[in-house]
Amino acid sequence: MQKSLRRALWAGLLAVAATAMVPVTQASAAVACAPAWSSTAVYVKDNVASQNGHNYTAKWWTQNESPATHSGQWDVWIDGGACGGTPTTPPTTTPTTAPTTTPTTPPTTSPTSGPSGKNVVGYFAEWGVYARQYFVKNIVTSGSAAKLTHILYAFGNTSGGQCSIGDSYADYDMAYTTANSVDGVADTWDAGALRGSFNQLRKLKKLYPNIKVIWSFGGWTWSSGFTQAAANPTAFANSCYNLVKDSRWADVFDGIDIDWEYPNACGLQCDSSGPASYNNVITALRNKFGSSFLITSAISADGSNGGKLDAADYASGIQKLNLVFPMTYDYYGAFSPQGPTAPHSPLTSYAGIPTNGFWSDAAIQKLKSKGVPSNKMLLGIGFYGRGWTGVTQAGPGGTATGPAPGTYEAGTEDYKVLKNSCPSTGTIGGTAYAKCGSNWWGYDTPSTVAGKMTYVKNQGLGGAFFWEFSGDTSNGELITAIKNNL
């Protein structure tokens, strides 16, 4: 079975340019300090680190987000105190909790589409502004902004069954320099000024008003709160509305995305809220946000019989969505360290594929059979590869001794690195693989992306989405292949 059917929360070699985050001068003693970083492992006690009398909550992220594979590196990043004054984090707004009721089912929602009729949707990972040094500005300089219809900002949390901020510092407090800002204007420390990625997205939308920004909640790590949300969907929807529509950044977001991994099934945690829970949560959100606000969802791409897509009533929930994102990647990887080797995002089956139903077309056809409209579904593309080491067989199906070395996490590497370090040596199932030395990688190239876009058009799908921007080249090779072939 799939162990980590998920996008990566990418760990960092934690060397961050301080000028990207901290103003040279501080306008007020109440300004909070920026996080401390180390290029080596930082070990903390009770999840709290301290520097110069300033405490920080510590969290770790790994590429496949599995605690079992964590190598001991810590990323100290959430501001939990203040330097000589009051913390800058605004007070949390307590949403009104409505009694649990059975909501009126809203009408079927039509899909959204770009000018060409196809959508190009990319994930922006909030933590990428740290070790990866990938900022909203890079979406512009890479040429990607001109090719996009939507950005998924990942992730908000679901703590306590309510929508909540994921990383307040990265989201709305980090001060951008002139060099890193979308419009070349540095952030200010004036009272009430919006900073961080939220402000950068606001600036991006002024330059590219056609781009819609959607705030994604959950993900592999932060889906546990959905179980409690399913017990009172109305209260959950109220909390999400209050957060997304907060006056400080309400103009930034055009929609909300629900990335629940997985309703009535197991991801990092197991949920047993029942097959109707997904539809109940989506229905409550649509009732609260209304018909004009975008609501989307990333869902399982398990096309096997009796698998995750059969565990919940996805079809009823998708009726209320504008778009749905089956996560057609991470089918295989070094979370099975001995192999067999297989490309992580096969489009079609092939002789010897390790698991029945674990390929993209299987998920698309299963969703179609459940009545999901083709034009609401987008095909997922990974801007990274998954690989093994200790491999002797050139083609897929070989044995391995463990995950291949990676820049941020063993077993995973960005496309922009793999294209040079381990160029493709073959294709199978509509995607590419590479054997270099004893390492074996599966990943998509511009050529295989073009083939997948032909599939998108032939199947009448609504476009493509990808995880995530920073894995592409500095001139946006993969997003260009998506856009040019749709």
Tab-separated table of all heavy atoms in Angstrom, residues 236-284:
chain	number	residue	atom	x	y	z
A	236	PHE	N	-16.569	24.571	11.609
A	236	PHE	CA	-15.337	24.588	10.825
A	236	PHE	C	-15.428	25.623	9.714
A	236	PHE	O	-14.512	26.433	9.527
A	236	PHE	CB	-15.077	23.203	10.242
A	236	PHE	CG	-13.898	23.143	9.308
A	236	PHE	CD1	-12.601	23.262	9.784
A	236	PHE	CD2	-14.080	22.982	7.937
A	236	PHE	CE1	-11.511	23.216	8.915
A	236	PHE	CE2	-13.001	22.922	7.069
A	236	PHE	CZ	-11.714	23.042	7.564
A	237	ALA	N	-16.530	25.613	8.985
A	237	ALA	CA	-16.704	26.563	7.888
A	237	ALA	C	-16.682	27.995	8.394
A	237	ALA	O	-16.093	28.885	7.758
A	237	ALA	CB	-18.005	26.270	7.146
A	238	ASN	N	-17.298	28.244	9.542
A	238	ASN	CA	-17.278	29.591	10.122
A	238	ASN	C	-15.858	30.031	10.429
A	238	ASN	O	-15.472	31.175	10.183
A	238	ASN	CB	-18.123	29.623	11.397
A	238	ASN	CG	-19.609	29.541	11.122
A	238	ASN	OD1	-20.057	29.750	10.004
A	238	ASN	ND2	-20.381	29.214	12.147
A	239	SER	N	-15.060	29.131	11.001
A	239	SER	CA	-13.673	29.478	11.348
A	239	SER	C	-12.861	29.769	10.100
A	239	SER	O	-12.046	30.695	10.076
A	239	SER	CB	-13.033	28.348	12.161
A	239	SER	OG	-12.697	27.230	11.351
A	240	CYS	N	-13.056	28.993	9.050
A	240	CYS	CA	-12.329	29.209	7.799
A	240	CYS	C	-12.714	30.547	7.182
A	240	CYS	O	-11.851	31.294	6.697
A	240	CYS	CB	-12.610	28.081	6.823
A	240	CYS	SG	-12.070	26.450	7.384
A	241	TYR	N	-13.988	30.852	7.208
A	241	TYR	CA	-14.469	32.116	6.657
A	241	TYR	C	-13.852	33.293	7.407
A	241	TYR	O	-13.366	34.255	6.789
A	241	TYR	CB	-15.996	32.172	6.748
A	241	TYR	CG	-16.612	33.370	6.074
A	241	TYR	CD1	-17.009	33.317	4.737
A	241	TYR	CD2	-16.805	34.562	6.765
A	241	TYR	CE1	-17.574	34.409	4.102
A	241	TYR	CE2	-17.368	35.667	6.145
A	241	TYR	CZ	-17.752	35.589	4.819
A	241	TYR	OH	-18.302	36.677	4.195
A	242	ASN	N	-13.863	33.225	8.732
A	242	ASN	CA	-13.305	34.319	9.535
A	242	ASN	C	-11.821	34.523	9.274
A	242	ASN	O	-11.328	35.661	9.268
A	242	ASN	CB	-13.534	34.055	11.015
A	242	ASN	CG	-14.994	34.166	11.418
A	242	ASN	OD1	-15.799	34.739	10.696
A	242	ASN	ND2	-15.349	33.598	12.555
A	243	LEU	N	-11.089	33.433	9.031
A	243	LEU	CA	-9.648	33.539	8.795
A	243	LEU	C	-9.352	34.024	7.376
A	243	LEU	O	-8.579	34.971	7.187
A	243	LEU	CB	-8.974	32.190	9.042
A	243	LEU	CG	-7.448	32.169	8.883
A	243	LEU	CD1	-6.771	33.134	9.853
A	243	LEU	CD2	-6.899	30.757	9.082
A	244	VAL	N	-9.947	33.389	6.393
A	244	VAL	CA	-9.666	33.753	5.004
A	244	VAL	C	-10.139	35.169	4.692
A	244	VAL	O	-9.495	35.907	3.941
A	244	VAL	CB	-10.314	32.737	4.042
A	244	VAL	CG1	-10.114	33.162	2.587
A	244	VAL	CG2	-9.724	31.344	4.260
A	245	LYS	N	-11.245	35.568	5.310
A	245	LYS	CA	-11.816	36.887	5.063
A	245	LYS	C	-11.321	37.946	6.059
A	245	LYS	O	-11.866	39.059	6.086
A	245	LYS	CB	-13.349	36.814	5.138
A	245	LYS	CG	-13.983	35.917	4.079
A	245	LYS	CD	-13.948	36.561	2.707
A	245	LYS	CE	-14.797	35.783	1.710
A	245	LYS	NZ	-14.866	36.452	0.397
A	246	ASP	N	-10.304	37.628	6.834
A	246	ASP	CA	-9.727	38.601	7.751
A	246	ASP	C	-9.383	39.870	6.976
A	246	ASP	O	-8.783	39.820	5.893
A	246	ASP	CB	-8.471	38.007	8.395
A	246	ASP	CG	-7.907	38.868	9.511
A	246	ASP	OD1	-7.490	40.014	9.236
A	246	ASP	OD2	-7.856	38.393	10.660
A	247	SER	N	-9.746	41.020	7.531
A	247	SER	CA	-9.598	42.286	6.807
A	247	SER	C	-8.159	42.598	6.433
A	247	SER	O	-7.903	43.368	5.515
A	247	SER	CB	-10.188	43.431	7.631
A	247	SER	OG	-9.507	43.560	8.874
A	248	ARG	N	-7.192	42.005	7.136
A	248	ARG	CA	-5.790	42.287	6.839
A	248	ARG	C	-5.351	41.707	5.491
A	248	ARG	O	-4.417	42.209	4.872
A	248	ARG	CB	-4.897	41.743	7.956
A	248	ARG	CG	-5.007	42.486	9.269
A	248	ARG	CD	-4.326	41.717	10.393
A	248	ARG	NE	-5.055	40.497	10.721
A	248	ARG	CZ	-4.643	39.610	11.630
A	248	ARG	NH1	-3.487	39.798	12.263
A	248	ARG	NH2	-5.358	38.541	11.891
A	249	TRP	N	-6.014	40.643	5.045
A	249	TRP	CA	-5.590	40.001	3.803
A	249	TRP	C	-6.759	39.456	2.975
A	249	TRP	O	-6.566	38.635	2.076
A	249	TRP	CB	-4.633	38.855	4.113
A	249	TRP	CG	-5.127	37.916	5.188
A	249	TRP	CD1	-6.184	37.033	5.112
A	249	TRP	CD2	-4.605	37.790	6.505
A	249	TRP	NE1	-6.334	36.365	6.300
A	249	TRP	CE2	-5.367	36.805	7.185
A	249	TRP	CE3	-3.550	38.393	7.196
A	249	TRP	CZ2	-5.128	36.426	8.506
A	249	TRP	CZ3	-3.310	38.029	8.517
A	249	TRP	CH2	-4.086	37.052	9.154
A	250	ALA	N	-7.963	39.911	3.236
A	250	ALA	CA	-9.130	39.376	2.524
A	250	ALA	C	-9.006	39.547	1.014
A	250	ALA	O	-9.490	38.712	0.234
A	250	ALA	CB	-10.402	40.047	3.025
A	251	ASP	N	-8.360	40.630	0.569
A	251	ASP	CA	-8.223	40.881	-0.865
A	251	ASP	C	-7.221	39.950	-1.541
A	251	ASP	O	-7.179	39.877	-2.769
A	251	ASP	CB	-7.802	42.331	-1.101
A	251	ASP	CG	-6.453	42.650	-0.463
A	251	ASP	OD1	-6.234	42.261	0.709
A	251	ASP	OD2	-5.619	43.286	-1.123
A	252	VAL	N	-6.409	39.246	-0.742
A	252	VAL	CA	-5.381	38.363	-1.310
A	252	VAL	C	-5.994	37.072	-1.847
A	252	VAL	O	-5.565	36.550	-2.876
A	252	VAL	CB	-4.302	38.043	-0.245
A	252	VAL	CG1	-3.313	37.009	-0.773
A	252	VAL	CG2	-3.580	39.318	0.172
A	253	PHE	N	-7.022	36.566	-1.168
A	253	PHE	CA	-7.501	35.213	-1.471
A	253	PHE	C	-8.830	35.210	-2.213
A	253	PHE	O	-9.792	35.859	-1.824
A	253	PHE	CB	-7.607	34.400	-0.180
A	253	PHE	CG	-6.281	34.199	0.489
A	253	PHE	CD1	-5.951	34.913	1.639
A	253	PHE	CD2	-5.332	33.348	-0.043
A	253	PHE	CE1	-4.722	34.749	2.239
A	253	PHE	CE2	-4.101	33.176	0.545
A	253	PHE	CZ	-3.782	33.879	1.693
A	254	ASP	N	-8.838	34.430	-3.288
A	254	ASP	CA	-10.027	34.254	-4.119
A	254	ASP	C	-10.721	32.927	-3.838
A	254	ASP	O	-11.781	32.653	-4.408
A	254	ASP	CB	-9.646	34.299	-5.599
A	254	ASP	CG	-8.908	35.571	-5.957
A	254	ASP	OD1	-9.567	36.617	-6.068
A	254	ASP	OD2	-7.667	35.517	-6.101
A	255	GLY	N	-10.116	32.109	-2.987
A	255	GLY	CA	-10.706	30.811	-2.743
A	255	GLY	C	-10.032	30.085	-1.593
A	255	GLY	O	-9.026	30.535	-1.035
A	256	ILE	N	-10.612	28.947	-1.240
A	256	ILE	CA	-10.082	28.074	-0.199
A	256	ILE	C	-9.996	26.662	-0.757
A	256	ILE	O	-10.866	26.225	-1.525
A	256	ILE	CB	-10.960	28.114	1.078
A	256	ILE	CG1	-10.348	27.249	2.192
A	256	ILE	CG2	-12.397	27.700	0.787
A	256	ILE	CD1	-11.061	27.385	3.522
A	257	ASP	N	-8.933	25.957	-0.398
A	257	ASP	CA	-8.708	24.587	-0.853
A	257	ASP	C	-8.664	23.665	0.360
A	257	ASP	O	-8.042	23.993	1.376
A	257	ASP	CB	-7.385	24.495	-1.631
A	257	ASP	CG	-7.053	23.077	-2.053
A	257	ASP	OD1	-7.662	22.602	-3.028
A	257	ASP	OD2	-6.203	22.446	-1.406
A	258	ILE	N	-9.325	22.512	0.251
A	258	ILE	CA	-9.340	21.529	1.329
A	258	ILE	C	-8.491	20.334	0.915
A	258	ILE	O	-8.833	19.602	-0.015
A	258	ILE	CB	-10.782	21.091	1.651
A	258	ILE	CG1	-11.595	22.296	2.123
A	258	ILE	CG2	-10.800	19.978	2.693
A	258	ILE	CD1	-11.032	23.005	3.341
A	259	ASP	N	-7.378	20.154	1.602
A	259	ASP	CA	-6.432	19.077	1.318
A	259	ASP	C	-6.477	18.092	2.486
A	259	ASP	O	-5.606	18.076	3.345
A	259	ASP	CB	-5.031	19.666	1.141
A	259	ASP	CG	-4.048	18.661	0.571
A	259	ASP	OD1	-4.267	17.450	0.744
A	259	ASP	OD2	-3.059	19.087	-0.032
A	260	TRP	N	-7.521	17.302	2.508
A	260	TRP	CA	-7.778	16.359	3.612
A	260	TRP	C	-7.188	15.005	3.258
A	260	TRP	O	-7.644	14.343	2.339
A	260	TRP	CB	-9.277	16.263	3.833
A	260	TRP	CG	-9.712	15.411	4.995
A	260	TRP	CD1	-8.939	14.624	5.803
A	260	TRP	CD2	-11.056	15.260	5.475
A	260	TRP	NE1	-9.707	14.002	6.746
A	260	TRP	CE2	-11.006	14.369	6.577
A	260	TRP	CE3	-12.280	15.784	5.077
A	260	TRP	CZ2	-12.159	13.988	7.275
A	260	TRP	CZ3	-13.412	15.416	5.769
A	260	TRP	CH2	-13.361	14.536	6.854
A	261	GLU	N	-6.194	14.589	4.033
A	261	GLU	CA	-5.511	13.315	3.774
A	261	GLU	C	-5.617	12.379	4.972
A	261	GLU	O	-4.787	12.440	5.852
A	261	GLU	CB	-4.062	13.587	3.403
A	261	GLU	CG	-3.970	14.506	2.192
A	261	GLU	CD	-2.542	14.723	1.733
A	261	GLU	OE1	-1.652	13.907	2.065
A	261	GLU	OE2	-2.298	15.706	1.039
A	262	TYR	N	-6.634	11.500	5.027
A	262	TYR	CA	-7.656	11.254	4.021
A	262	TYR	C	-8.974	10.988	4.737
A	262	TYR	O	-8.980	10.337	5.790
A	262	TYR	CB	-7.298	10.035	3.157
A	262	TYR	CG	-6.041	10.255	2.357
A	262	TYR	CD1	-4.819	9.802	2.839
A	262	TYR	CD2	-6.080	10.913	1.138
A	262	TYR	CE1	-3.661	10.007	2.103
A	262	TYR	CE2	-4.924	11.112	0.389
A	262	TYR	CZ	-3.723	10.662	0.882
A	262	TYR	OH	-2.580	10.870	0.164
A	263	PRO	N	-10.125	11.465	4.199
A	263	PRO	CA	-11.400	11.230	4.863
A	263	PRO	C	-11.750	9.744	4.932
A	263	PRO	O	-11.673	9.032	3.932
A	263	PRO	CB	-12.398	12.004	3.988
A	263	PRO	CG	-11.707	12.239	2.693
A	263	PRO	CD	-10.247	12.284	2.997
A	264	ASN	N	-12.097	9.315	6.148
A	264	ASN	CA	-12.508	7.932	6.406
A	264	ASN	C	-11.442	6.915	5.993
A	264	ASN	O	-11.742	5.784	5.639
A	264	ASN	CB	-13.826	7.622	5.685
A	264	ASN	CG	-14.621	6.532	6.389
A	264	ASN	OD1	-14.660	6.478	7.619
A	264	ASN	ND2	-15.260	5.673	5.633
A	265	ALA	N	-10.179	7.344	6.032
A	265	ALA	CA	-9.055	6.479	5.668
A	265	ALA	C	-7.819	6.975	6.407
A	265	ALA	O	-7.897	7.863	7.253
A	265	ALA	CB	-8.840	6.484	4.154
A	266	CYS	N	-6.672	6.403	6.077
A	266	CYS	CA	-5.447	6.718	6.818
A	266	CYS	C	-4.435	7.459	5.967
A	266	CYS	O	-4.209	7.118	4.796
A	266	CYS	CB	-4.803	5.430	7.343
A	266	CYS	SG	-5.790	4.569	8.576
A	267	GLY	N	-3.825	8.481	6.574
A	267	GLY	CA	-2.660	9.154	6.029
A	267	GLY	C	-1.611	9.121	7.119
A	267	GLY	O	-1.215	8.062	7.592
A	268	LEU	N	-1.146	10.302	7.571
A	268	LEU	CA	-0.262	10.351	8.733
A	268	LEU	C	-1.023	9.899	9.978
A	268	LEU	O	-0.473	9.275	10.877
A	268	LEU	CB	0.275	11.771	8.920
A	268	LEU	CG	1.278	12.004	10.053
A	268	LEU	CD1	2.510	11.122	9.892
A	268	LEU	CD2	1.684	13.476	10.096
A	269	GLN	N	-2.322	10.237	10.021
A	269	GLN	CA	-3.236	9.734	11.033
A	269	GLN	C	-4.377	9.013	10.319
A	269	GLN	O	-4.513	9.093	9.101
A	269	GLN	CB	-3.822	10.877	11.883
A	269	GLN	CG	-2.800	11.776	12.551
A	269	GLN	CD	-2.364	12.938	11.673
A	269	GLN	OE1	-2.992	13.243	10.669
A	269	GLN	NE2	-1.276	13.593	12.054
A	270	CYS	N	-5.204	8.328	11.081
A	270	CYS	CA	-6.365	7.656	10.510
A	270	CYS	C	-7.631	8.403	10.913
A	270	CYS	O	-7.749	8.879	12.040
A	270	CYS	CB	-6.452	6.204	10.974
A	270	CYS	SG	-5.180	5.137	10.252
A	271	ASP	N	-8.549	8.495	9.982
A	271	ASP	CA	-9.837	9.140	10.222
A	271	ASP	C	-10.941	8.103	10.054
A	271	ASP	O	-10.909	7.295	9.114
A	271	ASP	CB	-10.045	10.279	9.225
A	271	ASP	CG	-11.453	10.850	9.305
A	271	ASP	OD1	-11.744	11.541	10.299
A	271	ASP	OD2	-12.263	10.578	8.394
A	272	SER	N	-11.902	8.128	10.957
A	272	SER	CA	-13.029	7.197	10.871
A	272	SER	C	-14.344	7.952	11.005
A	272	SER	O	-15.293	7.480	11.621
A	272	SER	CB	-12.920	6.124	11.964
A	272	SER	OG	-12.865	6.723	13.250
A	273	SER	N	-14.398	9.138	10.409
A	273	SER	CA	-15.580	9.989	10.539
A	273	SER	C	-16.729	9.553	9.646
A	273	SER	O	-17.813	10.129	9.715
A	273	SER	CB	-15.214	11.445	10.244
A	273	SER	OG	-14.627	11.576	8.964
A	274	GLY	N	-16.502	8.564	8.790
A	274	GLY	CA	-17.571	8.044	7.960
A	274	GLY	C	-17.501	8.521	6.523
A	274	GLY	O	-16.896	9.556	6.226
A	275	PRO	N	-18.144	7.779	5.618
A	275	PRO	CA	-18.051	8.112	4.191
A	275	PRO	C	-18.718	9.434	3.807
A	275	PRO	O	-18.373	10.019	2.789
A	275	PRO	CB	-18.754	6.933	3.505
A	275	PRO	CG	-19.597	6.313	4.559
A	275	PRO	CD	-18.880	6.528	5.850
A	276	ALA	N	-19.655	9.941	4.624
A	276	ALA	CA	-20.341	11.186	4.290
A	276	ALA	C	-19.595	12.421	4.759
A	276	ALA	O	-19.980	13.545	4.409
A	276	ALA	CB	-21.753	11.182	4.905
A	277	SER	N	-18.527	12.260	5.532
A	277	SER	CA	-17.883	13.400	6.188
A	277	SER	C	-17.287	14.386	5.182
A	277	SER	O	-17.371	15.606	5.381
A	277	SER	CB	-16.800	12.911	7.145
A	277	SER	OG	-15.831	12.121	6.462
A	278	TYR	N	-16.679	13.898	4.116
A	278	TYR	CA	-16.070	14.793	3.128
A	278	TYR	C	-17.128	15.703	2.510
A	278	TYR	O	-16.969	16.927	2.457
A	278	TYR	CB	-15.361	13.975	2.055
A	278	TYR	CG	-14.739	14.808	0.951
A	278	TYR	CD1	-13.531	15.472	1.141
A	278	TYR	CD2	-15.374	14.932	-0.290
A	278	TYR	CE1	-12.960	16.234	0.134
A	278	TYR	CE2	-14.813	15.685	-1.304
A	278	TYR	CZ	-13.601	16.338	-1.090
A	278	TYR	OH	-13.054	17.087	-2.097
A	279	ASN	N	-18.228	15.108	2.064
A	279	ASN	CA	-19.307	15.898	1.480
A	279	ASN	C	-19.887	16.878	2.494
A	279	ASN	O	-20.191	18.029	2.151
A	279	ASN	CB	-20.411	14.968	0.965
A	279	ASN	CG	-21.594	15.731	0.416
A	279	ASN	OD1	-21.432	16.677	-0.346
A	279	ASN	ND2	-22.790	15.336	0.814
A	280	ASN	N	-20.011	16.469	3.747
A	280	ASN	CA	-20.570	17.360	4.764
A	280	ASN	C	-19.702	18.597	4.970
A	280	ASN	O	-20.206	19.717	5.117
A	280	ASN	CB	-20.730	16.611	6.089
A	280	ASN	CG	-21.817	15.554	6.032
A	280	ASN	OD1	-22.672	15.573	5.145
A	280	ASN	ND2	-21.788	14.618	6.965
A	281	VAL	N	-18.382	18.402	4.992
A	281	VAL	CA	-17.463	19.524	5.193
A	281	VAL	C	-17.494	20.462	3.985
A	281	VAL	O	-17.578	21.688	4.139
A	281	VAL	CB	-16.034	19.004	5.464
A	281	VAL	CG1	-15.009	20.136	5.383
A	281	VAL	CG2	-15.956	18.337	6.839
A	282	ILE	N	-17.434	19.896	2.782
A	282	ILE	CA	-17.460	20.731	1.577
A	282	ILE	C	-18.785	21.488	1.476
A	282	ILE	O	-18.821	22.679	1.118
A	282	ILE	CB	-17.227	19.879	0.317
A	282	ILE	CG1	-15.841	19.198	0.360
A	282	ILE	CG2	-17.354	20.734	-0.942
A	282	ILE	CD1	-14.662	20.134	0.430
A	283	THR	N	-19.872	20.824	1.800
A	283	THR	CA	-21.184	21.462	1.743
A	283	THR	C	-21.264	22.651	2.695
A	283	THR	O	-21.771	23.723	2.342
A	283	THR	CB	-22.290	20.449	2.072
A	283	THR	OG1	-22.270	19.390	1.102
A	283	THR	CG2	-23.670	21.104	2.066
A	284	ALA	N	-20.755	22.468	3.899
A	284	ALA	CA	-20.773	23.559	4.879
A	284	ALA	C	-19.938	24.739	4.397
A	284	ALA	O	-20.331	25.909	4.582
A	284	ALA	CB	-20.261	23.053	6.231
